[in-house]
Amino acid sequence: MTWNEIKKTYPNEWVALDEYEIEGPLEVNGTIIAHNAKRKNFYRSVEKIRNQHTDIAVRYTGELIKNPDIPLLWQITNTE
């Protein structure tokens, strides 16, 4: 899938991709192997398949900077 297709199919979700190609700082094309809107649930899913997929790309399809007055790192670490 292309990055635009991924964002359209999985809006505001965490996605893990296998057989991926990086197209830009955030843009990745590839095969979705896990996705979830809740970050904790997403990483639980990834943990279960980690042995089968050793090289994956992880991205969030929503807006990372929701409030420019709050530091980006805080926003990423507090996204559910």
Side-chain angles (χ1 to χ4, degrees), residues 30-69:
T31 304
I32 298 290
I33 56 172
H35 67 92
N36 200 300
K38 302 274 186 186
R39 186 177 60 150
K40 289 180 182 180
N41 293 341
F42 168 75
Y43 279 107
R44 285 186 194 124
S45 298
V46 170
E47 185 67 28
K48 292 177 185 176
I49 60 173
R50 184 174 54 141
N51 293 334
Q52 301 162 357
H53 304 276
T54 56
D55 184 26
I56 63 172
V58 172
R59 297 292 190 275
Y60 182 67
T61 61
E63 287 188 43
L64 290 176
I65 302 175
K66 296 177 183 172
N67 184 343
D69 296 330

Side-chain angles (χ1 to χ4, degrees), residues 1-36 42 56-64:
M1 294 179 90
T2 67
W3 180 243
N4 286 333
E5 291 171 333
I6 292 167
K7 288 189 335 183
K8 191 175 196 178
T9 306
Y10 306 102
N12 301 311
E13 290 194 34
W14 292 91
V15 295
L17 299 100
D18 191 17
E19 300 176 7
Y20 63 90
E21 293 180 15
I22 297 174
E23 296 291 325
L26 296 176
E27 298 82 12
V28 176
N29 302 331
T31 304
I32 298 290
I33 56 172
H35 67 92
N36 200 300
F42 168 75
I56 63 172
V58 172
R59 297 292 190 275
Y60 182 67
T61 61
E63 287 188 43
L64 290 176

